[in-house]
Amino acid sequence: MSAAHRLFVYLCAIFVACLILGDVIGGKTIATPLGAISVGIIPFPVTFLLTDIINDFYGAKGARFLTMLGFWMAVLAYVVLQVSTWLAPDVSTYFTQTEFAKIFGGSAQLFIASIVAYLIGQFLDIHVFQFWKALTKSRHLWLRATGSTILSQIADTVAINVIFWNWSASKDPTSFLGRMAPSERWTWIGQKIGREYAIKFAVAVALTPVVYALHEWIVRGLRIAPEPHAERAGGDLPPDLRE
C-alpha cells in the first residue's frame, strides 16, 4: 500500500469510530455554563475535521466514499443494536432488559436521527468545501475548511435535535421532555440547538490550526499532494480574497 492509501484507511477508521461512538453516547446530556449539551459533541468535531482533510487530499469523490462508508457502518451498528436489544436476557445478565433497552435501544433511535442529520451535514460540507476550493484556486485553506464546517453543522445540529428529542418524547411520555407541553418542548430543543451550535462554531474555529498542522504534516511528512481544485467557470477570486 502506498502512503496515500494507508493514510486514507487510517482517516476512514478514525472517522467511523468517532461517528458510531457519538451515536451511542449521544443520548446523555451534561451540564455546562451554557446549559445542557449532549456528550456526543465530543467525538463529532473530529468527523468534520477528517471530512475536510479527505476532501482536500482525495477530492469530492473520496469524501463521498467516506460519507457512504460511515452511513453503512452506522446502519450495521443500528441493526446489531436492534437485534441485541430484542434478544431475551439470561438471569446472569449484567444489564437488565429495561436498562439495556433504554441505553442501547435509545441509541438506536439516536442512530436514525443521527444518520439523517449526518447525510445532510456531510454532503453540504463536501459541496461547500469544493465550492470554496475552486473559487480560491486551492488558496485560503481556513476559508474552505472552517466555512464548510460552520455551514454544515447548522444543518446537522438542527436535524439531529429536532428528530431525536421529539421522537424520544413521543416514545416515552414519562421522560423529561415527554412531560412538557409542546411549546415548552420546542423552546428547550431550540435552546439546546443554539448552545450546541455555539460550541461547534467555537470548536470549528479553534480546530483551524489543527487543520493547517495536519495539512502540513501530510504534504511535507508523508509527501502526499492535495487533490487539484476543479476549474470554476464564471469568474476568479473576489478582490478581497486575492493574495
Side-chain angles (χ1 to χ4, degrees):
M1 293 178 68
S2 66
H5 289 149
R6 289 196 299 271
L7 176 65
F8 189 71
V9 171
Y10 274 109
L11 294 178
C12 286
I14 296 169
F15 178 93
V16 170
C18 289
L19 177 67
I20 293 177
L21 281 171
D23 288 338
V24 171
I25 68 176
K28 177 180 178 179
T29 58
I30 56 173
T32 72
L34 297 177
I37 63 169
S38 168
V39 293
I41 204 170
I42 297 172
F44 274 127
V46 177
T47 65
F48 287 99
L49 170 65
L50 296 183
T51 299
D52 290 339
I53 293 295
I54 287 182
N55 219 345
D56 206 32
F57 284 90
Y58 300 93
K61 187 175 180 179
R64 285 193 293 267
F65 175 86
L66 174 71
T67 297
M68 295 312 299
L69 175 66
F71 168 74
W72 288 115
M73 293 304 98
V75 170
L76 173 63
Y78 172 77
V79 171
V80 172
L81 284 172
Q82 288 295 295
V83 171
S84 59
T85 301
W86 289 336
L87 293 174
D90 184 72
V91 292
S92 62
T93 185
Y94 180 75
F95 290 111
T96 66
Q97 179 62 13
T98 302
E99 291 171 336
F100 192 93
K102 185 173 181 61
I103 296 171
F104 297 107
S107 292
Q109 295 172 25
L110 185 60
F111 264 92
I112 293 178
S114 178
I115 285 172
V116 174
Y118 162 78
L119 290 175
I120 295 171
Q122 282 290 112
F123 283 115
L124 180 60
D125 187 283
I126 294 168
H127 176 76
V128 174
F129 186 98
Q130 290 297 328
F131 169 81
W132 281 115
K133 184 171 183 176
L135 183 65
T136 61
K137 299 186 182 298
S138 295
R139 298 192 294 272
H140 305 292
L141 175 61
W142 65 269
L143 181 60
R144 60 182 183 270
T146 306
S148 62
T149 299
I150 286 172
L151 287 176
S152 62
Q153 286 193 1
I154 294 175
D156 180 87
T157 306
V158 171
I160 194 169
N161 276 287
V162 169
I163 296 171
F164 176 69
W165 291 109
N166 274 295
W167 186 4
S168 296
S170 64
K171 291 281 287 185
D172 185 4
T174 64
S175 66
F176 170 70
L177 286 180
R179 296 192 301 269
M180 290 183 180
S183 60
E184 187 181 5
R185 184 184 309 140
W186 279 110
T187 299
W188 186 88
I189 292 173
Q191 291 173 344
K192 186 170 181 292
I193 289 171
R195 288 192 299 270
E196 292 187 351
Y197 180 70
I199 293 173
K200 289 179 180 180
F201 182 95
V203 170
V205 174
L207 283 177
T208 302
V210 179
V211 174
Y212 272 90
L214 279 174
H215 192 277
E216 188 73 6
W217 173 69
I218 293 170
V219 170
R220 296 187 180 276
L222 300 181
R223 300 186 182 279
I224 300 172
E227 181 84 3
H229 60 267
E231 290 300 324
R232 181 177 178 271
D236 202 345
L237 192 65
D240 59 332
L241 290 177
R242 291 177 187 155
E243 292 182 333

PDB file of all heavy atoms in Angstrom, residues 157-172:
ATOM      1  N   THR A 157     -26.868  20.007  13.374  1.00  0.00           N
ATOM      2  CA  THR A 157     -27.324  20.245  14.744  1.00  0.00           C
ATOM      3  C   THR A 157     -28.840  20.378  14.815  1.00  0.00           C
ATOM      4  O   THR A 157     -29.486  19.816  15.714  1.00  0.00           O
ATOM      5  CB  THR A 157     -26.659  21.508  15.323  1.00  0.00           C
ATOM      6  OG1 THR A 157     -25.247  21.389  15.200  1.00  0.00           O
ATOM      7  CG2 THR A 157     -27.019  21.691  16.794  1.00  0.00           C
ATOM      8  N   VAL A 158     -29.428  21.110  13.877  1.00  0.00           N
ATOM      9  CA  VAL A 158     -30.881  21.283  13.860  1.00  0.00           C
ATOM     10  C   VAL A 158     -31.574  19.942  13.615  1.00  0.00           C
ATOM     11  O   VAL A 158     -32.509  19.566  14.332  1.00  0.00           O
ATOM     12  CB  VAL A 158     -31.302  22.307  12.784  1.00  0.00           C
ATOM     13  CG1 VAL A 158     -32.825  22.308  12.613  1.00  0.00           C
ATOM     14  CG2 VAL A 158     -30.821  23.698  13.169  1.00  0.00           C
ATOM     15  N   ALA A 159     -31.106  19.203  12.611  1.00  0.00           N
ATOM     16  CA  ALA A 159     -31.772  17.952  12.233  1.00  0.00           C
ATOM     17  C   ALA A 159     -31.741  16.928  13.358  1.00  0.00           C
ATOM     18  O   ALA A 159     -32.774  16.336  13.698  1.00  0.00           O
ATOM     19  CB  ALA A 159     -31.124  17.383  10.969  1.00  0.00           C
ATOM     20  N   ILE A 160     -30.581  16.708  13.956  1.00  0.00           N
ATOM     21  CA  ILE A 160     -30.490  15.651  14.960  1.00  0.00           C
ATOM     22  C   ILE A 160     -31.277  15.988  16.221  1.00  0.00           C
ATOM     23  O   ILE A 160     -31.930  15.124  16.806  1.00  0.00           O
ATOM     24  CB  ILE A 160     -29.013  15.330  15.304  1.00  0.00           C
ATOM     25  CG1 ILE A 160     -28.940  14.010  16.079  1.00  0.00           C
ATOM     26  CG2 ILE A 160     -28.360  16.467  16.084  1.00  0.00           C
ATOM     27  CD1 ILE A 160     -27.536  13.484  16.224  1.00  0.00           C
ATOM     28  N   ASN A 161     -31.285  17.234  16.637  1.00  0.00           N
ATOM     29  CA  ASN A 161     -32.018  17.607  17.840  1.00  0.00           C
ATOM     30  C   ASN A 161     -33.524  17.563  17.626  1.00  0.00           C
ATOM     31  O   ASN A 161     -34.264  17.059  18.479  1.00  0.00           O
ATOM     32  CB  ASN A 161     -31.596  19.003  18.304  1.00  0.00           C
ATOM     33  CG  ASN A 161     -30.340  18.974  19.142  1.00  0.00           C
ATOM     34  OD1 ASN A 161     -30.337  18.556  20.293  1.00  0.00           O
ATOM     35  ND2 ASN A 161     -29.234  19.411  18.555  1.00  0.00           N
ATOM     36  N   VAL A 162     -33.984  18.061  16.485  1.00  0.00           N
ATOM     37  CA  VAL A 162     -35.426  18.062  16.213  1.00  0.00           C
ATOM     38  C   VAL A 162     -35.953  16.643  16.088  1.00  0.00           C
ATOM     39  O   VAL A 162     -36.980  16.286  16.686  1.00  0.00           O
ATOM     40  CB  VAL A 162     -35.721  18.863  14.926  1.00  0.00           C
ATOM     41  CG1 VAL A 162     -37.168  18.642  14.475  1.00  0.00           C
ATOM     42  CG2 VAL A 162     -35.479  20.350  15.165  1.00  0.00           C
ATOM     43  N   ILE A 163     -35.235  15.789  15.339  1.00  0.00           N
ATOM     44  CA  ILE A 163     -35.714  14.415  15.125  1.00  0.00           C
ATOM     45  C   ILE A 163     -35.628  13.592  16.403  1.00  0.00           C
ATOM     46  O   ILE A 163     -36.610  12.966  16.829  1.00  0.00           O
ATOM     47  CB  ILE A 163     -34.904  13.741  13.996  1.00  0.00           C
ATOM     48  CG1 ILE A 163     -35.135  14.461  12.664  1.00  0.00           C
ATOM     49  CG2 ILE A 163     -35.308  12.266  13.868  1.00  0.00           C
ATOM     50  CD1 ILE A 163     -34.207  14.001  11.554  1.00  0.00           C
ATOM     51  N   PHE A 164     -34.449  13.579  17.038  1.00  0.00           N
ATOM     52  CA  PHE A 164     -34.253  12.681  18.178  1.00  0.00           C
ATOM     53  C   PHE A 164     -35.088  13.060  19.393  1.00  0.00           C
ATOM     54  O   PHE A 164     -35.762  12.217  19.981  1.00  0.00           O
ATOM     55  CB  PHE A 164     -32.772  12.635  18.564  1.00  0.00           C
ATOM     56  CG  PHE A 164     -32.520  11.802  19.804  1.00  0.00           C
ATOM     57  CD1 PHE A 164     -32.679  10.435  19.771  1.00  0.00           C
ATOM     58  CD2 PHE A 164     -32.144  12.392  21.004  1.00  0.00           C
ATOM     59  CE1 PHE A 164     -32.466   9.653  20.900  1.00  0.00           C
ATOM     60  CE2 PHE A 164     -31.931  11.637  22.130  1.00  0.00           C
ATOM     61  CZ  PHE A 164     -32.090  10.256  22.087  1.00  0.00           C
ATOM     62  N   TRP A 165     -35.059  14.326  19.788  1.00  0.00           N
ATOM     63  CA  TRP A 165     -35.719  14.681  21.036  1.00  0.00           C
ATOM     64  C   TRP A 165     -37.238  14.660  20.915  1.00  0.00           C
ATOM     65  O   TRP A 165     -37.933  14.306  21.870  1.00  0.00           O
ATOM     66  CB  TRP A 165     -35.209  16.031  21.533  1.00  0.00           C
ATOM     67  CG  TRP A 165     -33.785  15.945  21.981  1.00  0.00           C
ATOM     68  CD1 TRP A 165     -32.690  16.471  21.371  1.00  0.00           C
ATOM     69  CD2 TRP A 165     -33.275  15.239  23.131  1.00  0.00           C
ATOM     70  NE1 TRP A 165     -31.536  16.141  22.046  1.00  0.00           N
ATOM     71  CE2 TRP A 165     -31.868  15.401  23.140  1.00  0.00           C
ATOM     72  CE3 TRP A 165     -33.877  14.502  24.138  1.00  0.00           C
ATOM     73  CZ2 TRP A 165     -31.065  14.836  24.123  1.00  0.00           C
ATOM     74  CZ3 TRP A 165     -33.065  13.933  25.124  1.00  0.00           C
ATOM     75  CH2 TRP A 165     -31.678  14.107  25.109  1.00  0.00           C
ATOM     76  N   ASN A 166     -37.775  14.993  19.760  1.00  0.00           N
ATOM     77  CA  ASN A 166     -39.219  14.859  19.578  1.00  0.00           C
ATOM     78  C   ASN A 166     -39.634  13.394  19.550  1.00  0.00           C
ATOM     79  O   ASN A 166     -40.667  13.017  20.100  1.00  0.00           O
ATOM     80  CB  ASN A 166     -39.658  15.556  18.279  1.00  0.00           C
ATOM     81  CG  ASN A 166     -39.929  17.024  18.493  1.00  0.00           C
ATOM     82  OD1 ASN A 166     -40.845  17.413  19.211  1.00  0.00           O
ATOM     83  ND2 ASN A 166     -39.119  17.864  17.876  1.00  0.00           N
ATOM     84  N   TRP A 167     -38.827  12.563  18.917  1.00  0.00           N
ATOM     85  CA  TRP A 167     -39.101  11.134  18.857  1.00  0.00           C
ATOM     86  C   TRP A 167     -39.027  10.521  20.261  1.00  0.00           C
ATOM     87  O   TRP A 167     -39.896   9.751  20.669  1.00  0.00           O
ATOM     88  CB  TRP A 167     -38.101  10.473  17.920  1.00  0.00           C
ATOM     89  CG  TRP A 167     -38.358   9.014  17.644  1.00  0.00           C
ATOM     90  CD1 TRP A 167     -39.408   8.248  18.079  1.00  0.00           C
ATOM     91  CD2 TRP A 167     -37.552   8.156  16.851  1.00  0.00           C
ATOM     92  NE1 TRP A 167     -39.300   6.979  17.613  1.00  0.00           N
ATOM     93  CE2 TRP A 167     -38.166   6.884  16.849  1.00  0.00           C
ATOM     94  CE3 TRP A 167     -36.368   8.342  16.138  1.00  0.00           C
ATOM     95  CZ2 TRP A 167     -37.624   5.795  16.169  1.00  0.00           C
ATOM     96  CZ3 TRP A 167     -35.842   7.261  15.454  1.00  0.00           C
ATOM     97  CH2 TRP A 167     -36.463   6.001  15.469  1.00  0.00           C
ATOM     98  N   SER A 168     -37.988  10.876  21.012  1.00  0.00           N
ATOM     99  CA  SER A 168     -37.838  10.346  22.365  1.00  0.00           C
ATOM    100  C   SER A 168     -39.012  10.740  23.254  1.00  0.00           C
ATOM    101  O   SER A 168     -39.511   9.938  24.056  1.00  0.00           O
ATOM    102  CB  SER A 168     -36.536  10.853  22.995  1.00  0.00           C
ATOM    103  OG  SER A 168     -35.430  10.372  22.287  1.00  0.00           O
ATOM    104  N   ALA A 169     -39.466  11.982  23.126  1.00  0.00           N
ATOM    105  CA  ALA A 169     -40.581  12.451  23.936  1.00  0.00           C
ATOM    106  C   ALA A 169     -41.860  11.690  23.613  1.00  0.00           C
ATOM    107  O   ALA A 169     -42.643  11.337  24.505  1.00  0.00           O
ATOM    108  CB  ALA A 169     -40.794  13.947  23.715  1.00  0.00           C
ATOM    109  N   SER A 170     -42.074  11.400  22.315  1.00  0.00           N
ATOM    110  CA  SER A 170     -43.286  10.691  21.923  1.00  0.00           C
ATOM    111  C   SER A 170     -43.221   9.213  22.312  1.00  0.00           C
ATOM    112  O   SER A 170     -44.240   8.592  22.599  1.00  0.00           O
ATOM    113  CB  SER A 170     -43.518  10.818  20.411  1.00  0.00           C
ATOM    114  OG  SER A 170     -42.475  10.187  19.687  1.00  0.00           O
ATOM    115  N   LYS A 171     -42.007   8.647  22.341  1.00  0.00           N
ATOM    116  CA  LYS A 171     -41.843   7.229  22.704  1.00  0.00           C
ATOM    117  C   LYS A 171     -41.963   7.010  24.206  1.00  0.00           C
ATOM    118  O   LYS A 171     -42.358   5.937  24.653  1.00  0.00           O
ATOM    119  CB  LYS A 171     -40.474   6.735  22.233  1.00  0.00           C
ATOM    120  CG  LYS A 171     -40.321   6.624  20.732  1.00  0.00           C
ATOM    121  CD  LYS A 171     -40.953   5.387  20.163  1.00  0.00           C
ATOM    122  CE  LYS A 171     -40.132   4.154  20.506  1.00  0.00           C
ATOM    123  NZ  LYS A 171     -40.670   2.952  19.849  1.00  0.00           N
ATOM    124  N   ASP A 172     -41.606   8.007  24.999  1.00  0.00           N
ATOM    125  CA  ASP A 172     -41.634   7.865  26.462  1.00  0.00           C
ATOM    126  C   ASP A 172     -42.295   9.096  27.078  1.00  0.00           C
ATOM    127  O   ASP A 172     -41.619  10.078  27.408  1.00  0.00           O
ATOM    128  CB  ASP A 172     -40.208   7.701  27.000  1.00  0.00           C
ATOM    129  CG  ASP A 172     -40.189   7.424  28.499  1.00  0.00           C
ATOM    130  OD1 ASP A 172     -41.280   7.276  29.099  1.00  0.00           O
ATOM    131  OD2 ASP A 172     -39.078   7.347  29.062  1.00  0.00           O
TER     132      ASP A 172
END
